Amino acid sequence: MPPSPLPPAGEPSVERGRPGASPGTPSSPGADGVRGGLVAGGAHGPEHLRPLTAIVLDALGDAARARGGPLPAGGPEAVERSTRALCSPVLPEEGVGPEAALGDVVRAVAEGAADPADPACVAHLHCPPLAVAVAADLAGAALNPSMDSWDQAPAAGVIEELTTTALARLVHPTAPAPDALITSGGTESNLVALLLARERAAGGPLRVVTGANAHHSVHRAAWMLGLPAPTVVACDKGRIDPAALDRALTGLAGSPLLVVATAGTTDEGRIDPLPEIARIAERHTAQLHVDAAYGGPLLFSEHLAPRLAGLERAATVTFDLHKLGWQPVAAGVLAVADAGMLAPLSLRADYLNADDDTEAGLPDLLGRSIRTTRRPDALKMAVTFRALGRRGLGALVEHCVRTADEFGRAVDAHPRLRLRPGGIGISTVLFRPAVADALSDEAGDAVVALVRRTLLAEGRAVLGRAVAEDGDGRSRLWLKATLLHPNAATADLLPLLDLVTAAADRAVGESAADFGAGEAPAADDTEAPETERLSP
């Protein structure tokens, strides 16, 4: 029979040796008052959490209704003012109590949130998390395992192993011994990938070669690791130009090389020509890393996985699940084709993974990350995977891709908007108001930027911005909609188009003097009503 749990702080303990006594250390006396009922774990923890969770859920719902849209109106000053009013002082001399503190702070952060669950919140690779994943995250937070030693995370370590094994096999289905690490996201995954490539390199400093479309974290990782600045090769329509890559690698002959390709660029959602890049890398004996932080979850779909053909030939792959995976931040993964590649991360710290403990059979978790203390992020992934299965996840990915295609067609059919030529990138749609095209390049881009800021300030929509090549080869500023909502329909997004056109008319009218006489087209009198907000 398992030993009885310790009573929580604030409840009397029984001395050892007496009937019913706990075998653990008794709690300290005088634990009532401030300390009473504070701990979330243990046998009594759920009872402490239950009323507090109810306060959180009520505050979330009330705040979302009060906000009434994808983000608060009024811009940064208004948000700061309302947040300070509820949360200051953040460290009072005397506490206000858990109920009041939760009610105020959660209300403040929720009323002042950019809510990715709102269909009009489409600026970034910022997904609405699934309820089942959030619930799993609550369990992880309450239990609070730290994934750096077995005695802090006995079962959580097993769940992480099951999860990483499944993800490694998804990315490298034919590799004999693939593996994966849980990371905080694409930036950490790219850093570790470059670190591992540096450790495998021989005959000089590793030279990184990547496209102009690469995520900024590739350049930052090279700097952090003391590597030469990456060689940047030209892109054609947002994707690495294979001929330019071949020339760059030829010019670096004699150095150890790492090619970094991208499967799902941040600005355009483009996927580099992976099969051709893999062939070129092999011909130059270069290692290959693919940043598939955005596009990796296409692998869940049998229909969409062929878009990532060639990914399996990469030595390392970045794969995020807090984008097209609907997990609460953080949920990053680095998959490797061969588990032996992870050897450089091995580290011995006697208090965490002493040799004799490891020899006695305690699993060594320390070499599973460049971090020491880290959350059990695999727990929410495992729950989601088991809940939905690969087909269920694939269906959600397909929904987002299909919705982006439909939204793109709606933009293209709109008489006052223009879709960027070249097709949709995964679930990213670039477009701009037609009135901007009637102006000079600089003035037109200014209108696009002003439309975005106007909708942000009014709290009506969260659109992104991206500088990308137009059909004539010139770079222009575009509004960006990154569609990651797992069940928002195209009809939920269509009001966004009218919001953009009305804001563009106002932007042109307000800025006509700056654009010069005769340059600004006449704006309609139509304007989105003050109450119009795109919400579920």
Side-chain angles (χ1 to χ4, degrees):
M1 181 174 178
S4 301
L6 282 172
E11 297 182 15
S13 62
V14 183
E15 291 182 16
R16 283 189 208 201
R18 294 184 180 178
S22 166
T25 304
S27 62
S28 301
D32 295 329
V34 171
R35 288 175 51 207
L38 289 186
V39 177
H44 298 274
E47 299 310 313
H48 302 154
L49 273 175
R50 200 177 310 278
L52 298 178
T53 302
I55 292 172
V56 169
L57 296 177
D58 287 345
L60 288 173
D62 292 344
R65 287 185 288 272
R67 188 179 63 244
L71 78 169
E77 290 184 1
V79 172
E80 181 175 356
R81 201 163 45 244
S82 62
T83 304
R84 285 182 177 275
L86 285 168
C87 301
S88 295
V90 74
L91 183 61
E93 192 64 29
E94 297 292 338
V96 300
E99 294 83 0
L102 269 175
D104 288 345
V105 175
V106 174
R107 176 185 161 196
V109 75
E111 285 188 1
D115 183 3
D118 190 296
C121 189
V122 293
H124 302 288
L125 289 163
H126 180 200
C127 71
L130 299 176
V132 69
V134 173
D137 219 22
L138 172 62
L143 295 167
N144 206 31
S146 181
M147 304 301 299
D148 51 313
S149 67
W150 183 88
D151 58 357
Q152 298 176 89
V158 178
I159 291 173
E160 180 173 279
E161 181 182 2
L162 291 169
T163 305
T164 54
T165 297
L167 288 167
R169 186 59 64 191
L170 182 71
V171 176
H172 292 107
T174 61
D179 202 349
L181 303 176
I182 301 298
T183 71
S184 59
T187 295
E188 183 185 339
S189 292
N190 287 341
L191 173 65
V192 176
L194 265 66
L195 169 64
L196 297 177
R198 185 192 70 179
E199 296 305 294
R200 295 195 302 275
L206 180 71
R207 301 302 304 267
V208 178
V209 182
T210 193
N213 60 354
H215 192 262
H216 62 80
S217 61
V218 175
H219 297 266
R220 177 176 285 188
W223 168 71
M224 292 176 69
L225 294 169
L227 299 173
T231 297
V232 177
V233 301
C235 289
D236 179 25
K237 296 180 175 60
R239 306 162 77 224
I240 284 180
D241 180 351
L245 175 63
D246 190 45
R247 289 193 298 271
L249 294 176
T250 299
L252 295 170
S255 297
L257 301 169
L258 173 69
V259 174
V260 178
T262 307
T265 58
T266 303
D267 279 347
E268 303 178 48
R270 300 300 186 198
I271 298 172
D272 284 333
L274 300 180
E276 195 165 0
I277 288 172
R279 285 193 295 271
I280 293 170
E282 289 168 4
R283 190 162 65 245
H284 289 273
T285 63
Q287 303 176 61
L288 176 61
H289 169 64
V290 177
D291 179 356
Y294 179 10
L298 295 176
L299 292 175
F300 290 126
S301 163
E302 291 184 8
H303 173 64
L304 297 173
R307 296 190 184 188
L308 297 181
L311 184 71
E312 72 285 352
R313 297 167 68 177
T316 52
V317 175
T318 290
F319 188 113
D320 272 7
L321 288 158
H322 51 233
K323 296 181 173 67
L324 265 180
W326 307 285
Q327 299 298 293
V329 174
V333 176
L334 177 68
V336 298
D338 182 356
M341 294 165 55
L342 300 176
L345 300 181
S346 296
L347 180 68
R348 189 65 60 189
D350 195 59
Y351 75 105
L352 293 173
N353 61 348
D355 286 334
D356 55 326
D357 278 349
T358 302
E359 290 168 4
L362 296 184
D364 179 1
L365 304 182
L366 189 57
R368 303 293 300 173
S369 177
I370 59 172
R371 294 172 286 160
T372 304
T373 302
R374 57 188 180 91
R375 301 180 75 253
D377 289 317
L379 175 60
K380 60 200 175 194
M381 301 179 198
V383 169
T384 302
F385 291 176
R386 280 185 58 78
L388 299 181
R390 182 174 178 177
R391 288 184 180 177
L393 286 163
L396 296 186
V397 175
E398 289 170 7
H399 169 82
C400 291
V401 172
R402 182 170 57 251
T403 302
D405 288 339
E406 294 171 356
F407 183 69
R409 288 195 293 272
V411 170
D412 204 30
H414 198 291
R416 303 187 57 209
L417 297 171
R418 184 165 68 89
L419 182 68
R420 179 183 176 244
I424 306 302
I426 302 182
S427 65
T428 299
V429 182
L430 299 186
F431 65 104
R432 54 190 268 145
V435 292
D437 290 340
L439 306 173
S440 67
D441 286 355
E442 182 179 359
D445 286 353
V447 164
V448 174
L450 186 55
V451 165
R452 174 178 176 271
R453 288 194 294 271
T454 296
L455 295 176
L456 286 175
E458 294 173 350
R460 299 186 182 200
V462 189
L463 283 163
R465 55 184 289 163
V467 175
E469 189 177 294
D470 204 342
D472 61 4
R474 296 159 74 174
S475 291
R476 289 188 171 88
L477 183 65
W478 304 84
L479 296 172
K480 178 176 69 170
T482 307
L483 305 183
L484 301 180
H485 202 298
N487 60 4
T490 306
D492 298 322
L493 298 161
L494 295 182
L496 186 59
L497 305 184
D498 293 330
L499 290 178
V500 168
T501 56
D505 289 342
R506 283 177 285 156
V508 171
E510 293 168 8
S511 306
D514 294 332
F515 297 151
E519 257 192 339
D524 290 347
D525 291 332
T526 57
E527 183 172 315
E530 285 301 313
T531 57
E532 182 181 352
R533 296 167 75 94
L534 179 58
S535 301

